Amino acid sequence: MVSATEECVGPMKLTQEPIQDGLSQGLSALILWLGIRPCAHQIYPYVTKEVSEGYQLVDLQVLLVFAKEDSQSDAFWWACDRAGFRCNIARTPETAVECFLEKHHEIIVIDGRHSRYFEPEAVCRLIRATKPSENTVILAVLPQKPADQEEPSVLPLLCAGFSRRFVENSSVSACYNELIQIEHGEVRCQFKLRACNSAFTALEHCQEAVEITSEDHIIQYVNPAFERMMGYQKGELIGKELTELPKSDKNRADLLDTINTCIKKGKEWTGIYYARKKSGDSLQQHVRITPVIGQGGKIRHFVAIKRPHIDNNNQVHKINKEEKCSGEHSQSECHSLRHRDRRKDSIDARSISSRSSDAPSLQNRRYSSVARIHSMTIEAPITKVINIINAAQESSPVTVAEALDRVLEILRTTELYSPQLASKEDDPHTNDLVGGLMSDGLRRLSGNEYVFCKNMSQSQLAIPVTLSDVPPPIAEMLNDEDCWEFNILELEAATHKRPLTYLGLKIFTSFGVCEFLSCSEATLRSWLQLMEASYHSSNSYHNSTHAADVLHATAYFLRKERVKSSLDQLDEVAALIAATVHDVDHPGRTNSFLCNAGSELAILYNDTAVLESHHAALAFQLTVRDSKSNIFKNIDRNQFRTLRQAIIDMVLATEMTRHFEHVSKFVNSINKPMAAIEETSTSSVNSDCDGQANIRNSPENRLLIKRMLIKCADVANPCRPLELCIEWAGRISEEYFAQTDEEKRQGLPVVMPVFDRNTCSVPKSQISFMDYFITDMFDAWDAFASLPGLMEHLSENYNYWKGLDEMKCKSLRPPPAS
């Protein structure tokens, strides 16, 4: 048939993947966690259609060891052919070993019927003495015994290394069935063992610490990384219960119960855990514990992957704080750094270059804001990514690997720009404030509907036909509208709560809006009246005075040289219109409230940017409804579409859930590149200006500038003169108090519990708002637009609230002196 060196090759076979369970299943998952993607033919040679686009062709190899060719050897040869297995035939023990070492067969069939040619046990021992044979199935072919003769024991065969026996049968079907049974039984088990070996090899070399325990939390395996991290040797841990190991006292008392409750339900637990090393030191770890389902569908093992938890922000901040406050830098810079520490170590700082102390004070302030841009990062995952990479660049390879692992973990999240706040117990004001402003509400809990009504009533002060008809006292006030200290509250009183129409006429005229839109001043006046009437005068904060205040700030920013040179007239007109309408028909309640109450607007806008979407949509609905107030009626379609899109984008930018995203993009796309050009360029001044202009004037960055402009204008109250700041703080607090009152009346979730009029500390709420929303944003905006006066007000106001808080005063003003 064939010689000892010839090979019979049959057709290749389609097979199915072996079923894994227990520890091998968990370890196979670990291979994927560790980033190792094994080739199918190396670890899992049986692949189904479900795990690949096509079937994987796999050939299983069989070695027949027969001294003589006969009907039995032929039957196994033809059985291999039918099964699609590759087949070799060896005539002597020596050639058998030689062939096996070359081919590494999965199945070996040894003829044990004729001991005069060779001893089958001896041949089996020779093969078992080789390393590759540990995963090979060896079959002994035995002669048939007479019916009256006792069945011999299989123990000698097993002791010699045989896996099973086959009683002589020259039927091809019988041989085929035997081989197929071996393939689906022992061979698949051997492949699972190979997979385990591969997994253990990966575990031994991976950098993350891995601990595998039984369902009863008895340690079964730890890898070398675990030994290095914890200081134990493997022999000191294997077989011990986790409860026998010393515990750190830095964990919450109920943390272990929480973890056990989670993993016993078959759920993965991920979090921070303090472990005690052999040395007695506590080590903060990032831990992921995964239950492994095994036999009977029950949890049979727990796989824990651990690594030291590195708070890169705090570490880098600590290092740079020491650098900046060393003797190399000026006292003013250290004071500036302390001022920024109020954001609870949320700033990762690079070294700030010192400036000459004899420079003009405003220039020093300008330099300070520009310098802080280098170190500014909002406490959000996407900016942590940048900090981790920067910190890892100068670290050892192990640290680099750990940092990159952290980067990947952060990038897997969806809320890349959401801030990570302290626990509610640490700072309830901030958590309630930030949560209330940046959340679209909880799941609706009841059928309660909150439908607000527009208050269209206004006082009957005559509206001027033109600017020349404005009453003299109001006209005199409006002469100062280009100053930041302009008092909008005095205008509110003088106009009987209609400041938006008067201020709008003055500002829109000065920016040439009517000329740009080709509309009459009468149309503009009607439009301003319509918008102002659509604000609710009953709201303590979100009324037309707030809209006028935002319009004033917008105009002030648009007149700043760098802003003006970055935008065209369409951008300016869009910004002024957006500021005017950005809170139109505001009900005096937050998005979260509307979502929880199941309001019609929340349903209409799918609980997403509910109010901002409504403001933008209603503004256009009201505008185009009547030709007398349609300021867009004379511009062409393309210009209208461009203007409309710009207005909508700016109004939606005032929604707080994307606050940190907008600020981060502005800092990284505009502030930092411009500061880099300013500091590193060695060419001419004109070249510097050209480079910065190219950055500012790109369409993408102009969009970021407009968003930043209206965001700062919308929340500029903390940067106003102190008396205005105090008044606005009282108004917004009253509006939040009213919301909390109504939530309690309607049985709705209380979005901001600290805003209870009986217990709230207004100074604390203002401090939190400045810390988490205002300071960084206005540092970035000041670095771009140069706003020294605003930054002075911000610092003064912050100190005012801080002083009240230190006095334990909860009101807007200190108690009168006794």
Side-chain angles (χ1 to χ4, degrees):
M1 181 72 66
V2 290
S3 69
T5 58
E6 288 177 320
E7 182 179 66
C8 175
V9 182
M12 316 227 1
K13 183 175 183 287
L14 301 177
T15 59
Q16 291 186 340
E17 184 178 8
I19 299 173
Q20 299 179 35
D21 67 341
L23 183 57
S24 64
Q25 183 185 46
L27 294 174
S28 302
L30 277 174
I31 294 176
L32 298 179
W33 287 347
L34 297 171
I36 302 170
R37 299 184 61 85
C39 298
H41 70 275
Q42 291 176 327
I43 294 181
Y44 298 115
Y46 303 105
V47 183
T48 64
K49 190 173 184 179
E50 287 75 16
V51 295
S52 66
E53 294 180 358
Y55 282 93
Q56 173 72 41
L57 298 177
V58 178
D59 54 333
L60 189 146
Q61 299 187 89
V62 179
L63 173 62
L64 305 179
V65 185
F66 284 79
K68 293 291 184 181
E69 179 184 331
D70 60 8
S71 60
Q72 185 65 71
S73 65
D74 288 348
F76 271 110
W77 185 85
W78 285 113
C80 290
D81 182 74
R82 181 188 296 183
F85 301 157
R86 294 180 178 271
C87 182
N88 297 100
I89 299 180
R91 300 301 185 196
T92 66
E94 292 76 16
T95 56
V97 174
E98 181 182 351
C99 186
F100 173 70
L101 290 175
E102 179 184 352
K103 302 291 186 180
H104 296 179
H105 305 80
E106 283 77 28
I107 302 173
I108 299 177
V109 182
I110 300 178
D111 185 8
R113 298 169 299 160
H114 311 291
S115 58
R116 66 179 177 274
Y117 297 114
F118 51 70
E119 289 288 339
E121 291 86 351
V123 178
C124 184
R125 289 190 180 96
L126 281 173
I127 294 174
R128 286 297 186 200
T130 64
K131 180 68 174 175
S133 69
E134 62 182 354
N135 298 124
T136 300
V137 179
I138 304 181
L139 175 69
V141 180
L142 302 179
Q144 287 202 12
K145 298 293 183 182
D148 59 348
Q149 189 171 340
E150 188 176 348
E151 179 79 13
S153 172
V154 297
L155 284 177
L157 295 174
L158 296 175
C159 292
F162 284 102
S163 306
R164 57 192 292 158
R165 68 173 188 169
F166 176 80
V167 177
E168 182 178 15
N169 188 333
S170 58
S171 166
V172 174
S173 294
C175 295
Y176 172 80
N177 289 337
E178 181 69 17
L179 292 176
I180 292 301
Q181 289 182 74
I182 294 174
E183 175 203 359
H184 283 263
E186 287 94 330
V187 170
R188 292 193 174 185
C189 289
Q190 295 299 332
F191 276 120
K192 285 198 285 185
L193 290 175
R194 292 187 195 179
C196 287
N197 290 336
S198 301
F200 277 114
T201 300
L203 292 175
E204 295 292 306
H205 292 87
C206 77
Q207 294 181 353
E208 289 182 316
V210 178
E211 173 189 72
I212 300 175
T213 64
S214 69
E215 57 194 301
D216 299 320
H217 303 294
I218 296 174
I219 300 174
Q220 297 175 316
Y221 171 83
V222 294
N223 69 342
F226 186 97
E227 295 177 288
R228 291 192 299 270
M229 184 171 69
M230 299 303 297
Y232 288 100
Q233 295 298 314
K234 187 178 299 185
E236 300 175 89
L237 298 172
I238 303 299
K240 283 191 175 183
E241 290 189 26
L242 291 178
T243 54
E244 298 178 43
L245 300 180
K247 302 291 187 296
S248 172
D249 56 3
K250 292 189 176 183
N251 295 304
R252 293 196 329 263
D254 62 340
L255 181 58
L256 285 177
D257 291 337
T258 301
I259 295 172
N260 285 327
T261 300
C262 177
I263 62 179
K264 284 182 178 179
K265 293 179 181 178
K267 298 179 180 179
E268 184 179 89
W269 183 87
T270 302
I272 305 302
Y273 180 81
Y274 283 92
R276 175 164 291 182
K277 301 170 67 173
K278 184 178 180 180
S279 63
D281 297 333
S282 290
L283 175 65
Q284 191 180 24
Q285 298 174 332
H286 184 278
V287 181
R288 180 193 300 170
I289 304 176
T290 302
V292 179
I293 308 298
Q295 185 178 6
K298 297 181 179 180
I299 297 172
R300 299 298 181 182
H301 306 276
F302 296 103
V303 177
I305 301 179
K306 308 178 180 184
R307 67 166 179 273
H309 178 70
I310 302 175
D311 191 341
N312 290 278
N313 284 331
N314 286 341
Q315 285 190 359
V316 177
H317 178 75
K318 181 179 179 181
I319 292 170
N320 289 318
K321 182 177 178 181
E322 292 171 356
E323 290 177 356
K324 291 177 201 171
C325 287
S326 66
E328 299 177 8
H329 297 281
S330 67
Q331 182 179 355
S332 62
E333 286 177 335
C334 290
H335 173 77
S336 173
L337 182 65
R338 288 193 296 272
H339 174 70
R340 301 209 28 90
D341 280 347
R342 67 190 187 218
R343 283 204 73 230
K344 300 186 179 178
D345 292 341
S346 65
I347 305 303
D348 293 335
R350 293 190 308 175
S351 178
I352 299 178
S353 57
S354 60
R355 301 288 180 177
S356 173
S357 59
D358 57 354
S361 59
L362 290 183
Q363 186 69 4
N364 276 340
R365 181 177 294 279
R366 164 80 176 145
Y367 279 141
S368 177
S369 288
V370 172
R372 283 200 298 270
I373 293 307
H374 283 300
S375 63
M376 183 186 303
T377 54
I378 310 304
E379 186 75 359
I382 193 62
T383 48
K384 285 185 177 180
V385 170
I386 299 171
N387 298 330
I388 292 170
I389 293 176
N390 288 338
Q393 287 174 343
E394 298 178 2
S395 303
S396 65
V398 174
T399 307
V400 171
E402 291 176 351
L404 292 177
D405 286 342
R406 177 67 175 149
V407 167
L408 292 175
E409 181 177 320
I410 293 173
L411 288 177
R412 292 189 190 104
T413 68
T414 56
E415 300 298 327
L416 294 179
Y417 293 92
S418 296
Q420 297 176 342
L421 305 179
S423 68
K424 191 175 183 69
E425 292 75 14
D426 293 340
D427 196 346
H429 281 81
T430 298
N431 276 274
D432 283 357
L433 183 64
V434 176
L437 293 177
M438 297 192 63
S439 168
D440 282 324
L442 308 173
R443 188 175 299 277
R444 183 178 170 187
L445 300 182
S446 69
N448 294 331
E449 290 289 325
Y450 180 79
V451 182
F452 55 86
C453 302
K454 289 178 287 186
N455 184 350
M456 305 293 286
S457 63
Q458 296 286 338
S459 59
Q460 299 303 310
L461 179 68
I463 296 297
V465 176
T466 65
L467 276 177
S468 59
D469 297 326
V470 174
I474 297 177
E476 186 176 350
M477 289 182 189
L478 292 175
N479 287 335
D480 298 327
E481 62 86 16
D482 57 347
C483 299
W484 181 252
E485 285 71 21
F486 176 75
N487 194 324
I488 194 70
L489 300 182
E490 291 182 357
L491 183 65
E492 176 192 57
T495 59
H496 301 280
K497 295 188 176 181
R498 287 194 301 184
L500 183 59
T501 300
Y502 287 90
L503 183 65
L505 278 172
K506 177 69 183 297
I507 289 177
F508 276 55
T509 299
S510 66
F511 277 87
V513 174
C514 288
E515 292 80 2
F516 179 83
L517 296 176
S518 299
C519 72
S520 65
E521 192 173 294
T523 301
L524 174 63
R525 183 185 66 251
S526 295
W527 180 81
L528 286 169
Q529 287 180 272
L530 177 61
M531 292 301 113
E532 184 152 41
S534 299
Y535 278 89
H536 298 201
S537 60
S538 58
N539 292 342
S540 60
Y541 182 87
H542 287 100
N543 48 41
S544 68
T545 304
H546 167 66
D549 184 59
V550 175
L551 175 61
H552 171 263
T554 299
Y556 183 83
F557 294 152
L558 287 173
R559 291 178 175 125
K560 304 304 290 186
E561 185 57 37
R562 185 173 275 179
V563 178
K564 190 174 184 63
S565 64
S566 302
L567 306 178
D568 58 24
Q569 191 175 10
L570 186 145
D571 295 324
E572 292 178 349
V573 172
L576 295 173
I577 294 174
T580 303
V581 306
H582 83 283
D583 272 334
V584 68
D585 198 33
H586 196 294
R589 300 292 182 263
T590 64
N591 280 331
S592 297
F593 179 95
L594 298 182
C595 295
N596 289 335
S599 73
E600 293 178 357
L601 284 182
I603 294 171
L604 176 64
Y605 293 110
N606 300 313
D607 292 353
T608 303
V610 175
L611 285 172
E612 293 71 25
S613 299
H614 175 61
H615 302 323
L618 181 64
F620 281 97
Q621 289 172 353
L622 294 173
T623 300
V624 301
R625 185 177 296 171
D626 188 344
S627 177
K628 292 180 181 179
S629 55
N630 186 357
I631 57 176
F632 305 125
K633 61 185 177 183
N634 294 326
I635 60 175
D636 66 64
R637 182 183 301 273
N638 289 335
Q639 191 176 41
F640 172 71
R641 290 182 63 182
T642 303
L643 184 64
R644 169 175 158 80
Q645 189 57 50
I647 294 168
I648 293 172
D649 185 84
M650 293 181 75
V651 173
L652 293 181
T654 63
E655 200 248 339
M656 295 302 290
T657 61
R658 296 181 64 192
H659 170 83
F660 293 96
E661 176 183 351
H662 293 319
V663 177
S664 295
K665 287 181 177 179
F666 185 85
V667 168
N668 291 301
S669 298
I670 297 177
N671 284 142
K672 290 184 177 180
M674 291 181 62
I677 291 176
E678 224 174 73
E679 294 181 0
T680 63
S681 177
T682 57
S683 56
S684 66
V685 174
N686 290 335
S687 177
D688 290 350
C689 293
D690 291 342
Q692 292 184 341
N694 291 335
I695 293 173
R696 298 195 310 267
N697 296 335
S698 72
E700 298 82 5
N701 288 347
R702 282 167 53 199
L703 189 67
L704 296 180
I705 292 170
K706 287 185 289 183
R707 290 173 179 171
M708 192 72 162
L709 184 151
I710 196 166
K711 282 182 62 61
C712 289
D714 189 28
V715 292
N717 308 144
C719 299
R720 293 290 187 181
L722 180 59
E723 285 304 312
L724 291 177
C725 174
I726 294 172
E727 176 63 25
W728 285 118
R731 292 188 178 198
I732 190 62
S733 297
E734 177 55 37
E735 199 164 285
Y736 287 158
F737 294 156
Q739 175 171 309
T740 299
D741 293 341
E742 185 166 359
E743 286 167 336
K744 292 179 179 179
R745 285 196 303 272
Q746 293 196 24
L748 295 172
V750 177
V751 175
M752 296 181 284
V754 297
F755 281 97
D756 184 313
R757 66 175 69 252
N758 298 316
T759 60
C760 180
S761 168
V762 175
K764 281 186 182 296
S765 70
Q766 287 298 304
I767 292 169
S768 296
F769 185 62
M770 291 180 179
D771 279 342
Y772 280 86
F773 290 107
I774 299 302
T775 303
D776 279 344
M777 182 169 69
F778 273 91
D779 272 338
W781 190 233
D782 171 46
F784 177 78
S786 184
L787 304 164
L790 277 71
M791 303 310 289
E792 289 178 359
H793 288 311
L794 177 60
S795 180
E796 177 188 356
N797 296 339
Y798 185 88
N799 291 334
Y800 173 81
W801 298 120
K802 201 73 174 175
L804 290 183
D805 185 47
E806 290 170 356
M807 295 167 56
K808 309 298 182 183
C809 177
K810 295 184 177 182
S811 59
L812 292 169
R813 300 180 186 276
S818 57

